[in-house]
Structure formats: structure tokens, C-alpha cells
Amino acid sequence: MKRELVIVLDFGGQYNQLVARRVRECNVYCEIYSYKTGIEKIKEMNPKGIILTGGPNSCYETDSPTCPKELFELGIPVLGLCYGAQLMMHVLGGKVARPEVGEYGKTEVLIDKPSSKIFENVPEKTICWMSHTDAIFQTAPGFEVTAHTADCPVAAAENVQDKLYAIQYHPEVLHTAEGTKMLSNFVLKVCGCAGGWKMDSFVEESIKQIREKVGDGRVLCALSGGVDSSVAAVLLSKAVGAQLTCVFVDHGLLRKNEGDEVEAVFGPEGAYDLNFIRVNAQQRFYDKLAGVSEPEKKRKIIGEEFIRVFEEEAKKIGTVDFLVQGTIYPDVVESGLGGESAVIKSHHNVGGLPDYVDFKEIIEPLRDLFKDEVRKAGLELGIPEYLVYRQPFPGPGLGVRIVGEVTAKKVRIVQDADAIYREEIENAGLSKEIGQYFAALTNMQSVGVMGDERTYDCAVALRAVNTVDFMTAEAADIPYEVLQKVMSRIINEVKGVNRVLYDLTSKPPGTIEFE
């Protein structure tokens, strides 16, 4: 069955990835493109529907992002959200201006046309998330108003004949009570999508495509033990078996026992038919990091040394036809290759081929997936749940959870403290409720009293945040008795620690990681 496609045209809004994820939750494949994407390219993609995102501009200003009138004349259903709704009206002859009162936050929306396909099975009074300084004062010809609020006369409008729909609020965010239902109605009822894009079919199709591409070639994968590289490795293993070689570089900056856990799953005694090479390079990394305290310099040293180790192992293997990378869809979007929003971060595995391994082609089997979809694929492939739901872990590992110089002793302290923290969070039944949690080692020593002796030891900081997209985050509200137990165990069981702190900082102004 040919894969159905809905495309999101990005006008610089902060929720573009969230819109795409919500569409995929309807089992419909969705991709993000810049608003600058040409009409001819859109025609070639033959999407079942088009969604215009929000954005920070005013659509009536001359230099604001826009789209041609032809976009609305393709016969393809179009849904405009916030700025996208205003732009639709502006381009088609309506009036958008700045009212005396803007709307922000949770707002009661009153449905004027319950028979609208968008509002099927939605209560006539519902809470939605508003965030706009401009408003639609007059709808374009052919549109009728389908919803309003106390301060916004056009909260939604539609032109049924031309399959055009405008929504002033954000249905993609969780604060909009029936938002998922509205997007589902657009995708399934208006666009007529069947909703057949599911993870079991993705896995099956990917294995078939990889097998055809690789043929009898040799494949190399850098396996970190993280979710993305693990799922990518298993997909390749299912497709090409022993033609795959996985190189696992243990840089000594992993969580406690993590290296052995990865080897148990992927090594000779594991369940997968692949060639597994573990490189124990702990001391090599510690030597390179000796005396280095500046965070960015530590990151670069760890990244560059990882490449050197991987390069050495690759040369031992000989000719390699394909290189596997665990690129996922947010990597593509945040690198500026999949939308219009500002580049958030650079990724070594996006947009260019490494020059240190001789190979024909790169394989990125997860390039189309969001993180939650990668986890679903992992479960579908039979990867152990503890690996699939492993806490997010930075590429430089504990190097960015140890403030200041990295030493073997400090690594041991933070590994032990982190293991206790994760164990007690699990015991308290909180592991699935918190977005990310870990222990970090501060660069502070303080006076304490243990037994009848004064001590001068390290302070460990506990971090736990709740987040949807990892771009913003708030400190998690962990019960005091849980924190108290974690503190007591760390001080009693981890040599060299006499103080435990809990980090309440949100993002922004802080970051989730410490460095």
C-alpha cells in the first residue's frame, strides 16, 4: 500500500514538530517543509492534506512569510493554524489586524457549527490554547465562521467547497482539550486518510528496503547503547544479519554497568546475529580529559577521540559498503534541513558524510521517526524494554554531568549516585512520569560531619524535569520522602559524598544537562 502523506508547512512556529507528531498519532505519515517549498514540488509529493503552522510574524507586513494563492487552489485540503489561519484569510481576501485585546493561554471556545467535520464529536464548549496578538476581523469570501470566543469573533472558519479550514488556536498542544480529536477529524474525515501508517508495517517495510539496498554488501554501525543506535542496529541485523558489524566504544563515561548491559544484548551471547566489537578505551579518554574543565572543550575532546577510536576499528575491518547512523527526524528538522524554524543544534550525523571511513553510502533507517516512534519500533523489534525506555543520555556521557575536570574517581562517584537515584525513582513508581532524571557531580566540596569526624567531600546534585519536547522543561515535583531516601542512600553508600542537592531550575533559563 502506498504511504499516505500529510505535509506541514513551517512558518517559524515553535510547535511545528508537535503538529507533525499529532498527525502521526493518527497513524498518518507526516513531514515538515519550509513555507518556501514550491508549488510544483508540493504537487509532486501528492499530499492528502496540508497544514500551515503558527509563526511569530504579522501576515499583513510586507516582509512576513507568505504562500501563493495557488496553494489553496490545488484541490488539496488545507488547515491553517494560528498564523497559518490568519495567512489563509489574508491571501484569500479577508482582513487580519491587531485587536485591542490579544488572547493567551487557556480560553473557552464556543462551537458555532457543530456539524463541521473538524468539530465532529467535540463538545460545543471546549478549552483551547490561544496565543495571538493579531486576529481575523473579516473572513475571506466563501468562508463561514464555525467557532468564536468572548474576545475573538473568528476562532475558526471553513470553506467546505474548497476544503479550506482555519483555526486560530493551537490544537496540537495538550492544553487544547479536544485538539487531538480536531486534528484527527481533519486528517481522517476531511483529507480522507485511511490511517494505515503503523509501526509494525514501518518495521517490515524498512527491513525489506534495507535488504534490497545492501544486497551482499558489508555494513558498519557505531553502537552507543542509546535508544536510536540500538534500534538502528537491530533493524540492520534483522535485514542483513552477519553482514553487519557494530563497534561499541566504551569511553568510560557511561552509566554504571552500562557497557556490560550493552554487550549482554548485542554481544556474542546476545540475541542478534551481528559482529559485535567492544573497545574498552576508558583510560584513553581520561588521559585526554586530564586538566580540562571548560565544558565545550570537554565535549570536543570526547567527540574527536570517539571518532579516532572508531576510525581505528573501521580500518581493521577493511572495506565497508555502508555506514549506519541513528539520525532521527528531530535531528533533521533542528539542523535546518526539514523546516523553517531556527537551527537549534548541529548534528554530526546530518547533512554530510564522515571522511574517516571508506564506504559507498549512508543508511539512516530512523530518519523519518520521532523519538517516541523510535521506542515503538524498538519494542516491535523485540528489544528489551529497559533499553528502549532508557533515560536520555548525552553523547559526551558523564563528561557533561561532571562539572570541572573529569577523573576516574569522579566518574565512579557520579555513576554510583546516579544508579541509586534511578533505582529509587523506579521503586517509587515514578520512572514513567518524569521526562528525564539523573545525578550530576558539582565542582563543590563542603564541610560535613559523619560519625564523630569532620569531612570535606563532594556535593551531588539531583536533576529531574518534566518536558514534552525537551526544548522547555520544569523541575519535577518529586515527593520529599523519595528525595530523603535517595539522599540518605547516596551519603551512606557513595564514598566521597557528604551533601546532596536538588536542582529546581527550569529550562529556560537553565539547560536540562549541567554543562
Side-chain angles (χ1 to χ4, degrees), residues 238-252:
K238 297 278 190 183
V240 301
Q243 293 166 243
L244 171 67
T245 297
C246 289
V247 176
F248 171 53
V249 179
D250 187 343
H251 49 32

Side-chain angles (χ1 to χ4, degrees), residues 201-324:
S201 57
F202 169 83
V203 167
E204 186 178 334
E205 181 184 333
S206 296
I207 290 172
K208 181 181 176 184
Q209 290 175 351
I210 291 167
R211 195 171 285 149
E212 290 174 355
K213 174 180 279 194
V214 171
D216 58 0
R218 298 183 69 187
V219 186
L220 179 63
C221 174
L223 180 62
S224 70
V227 177
D228 302 337
S229 71
S230 295
V231 174
V234 173
L235 259 178
L236 266 295
S237 171
K238 297 278 190 183
V240 301
Q243 293 166 243
L244 171 67
T245 297
C246 289
V247 176
F248 171 53
V249 179
D250 187 343
H251 49 32
L253 301 169
L254 300 171
R255 288 167 286 209
K256 188 172 184 178
N257 301 327
E258 192 162 31
D260 294 338
E261 290 173 359
V262 172
E263 184 169 4
V265 173
F266 295 100
E269 304 303 318
Y272 302 104
D273 180 22
L274 52 83
N275 298 303
F276 178 83
I277 299 172
R278 177 176 179 175
V279 185
N280 292 310
Q282 296 92 329
Q283 193 58 50
R284 178 170 171 172
F285 279 83
Y286 296 157
D287 290 345
K288 288 284 184 179
L289 291 166
V292 180
S293 297
E294 202 274 318
E296 192 58 30
K297 191 173 181 183
K298 288 194 295 184
R299 286 178 180 271
K300 287 180 178 177
I301 288 172
I302 295 166
E304 288 172 6
E305 196 62 19
F306 183 92
I307 289 174
R308 298 286 79 82
V309 175
F310 187 68
E311 177 183 16
E312 291 168 12
E313 294 302 319
K315 285 178 178 176
K316 294 177 188 176
I317 295 167
T319 303
V320 173
D321 301 294
F322 299 91
L323 181 69
V324 180

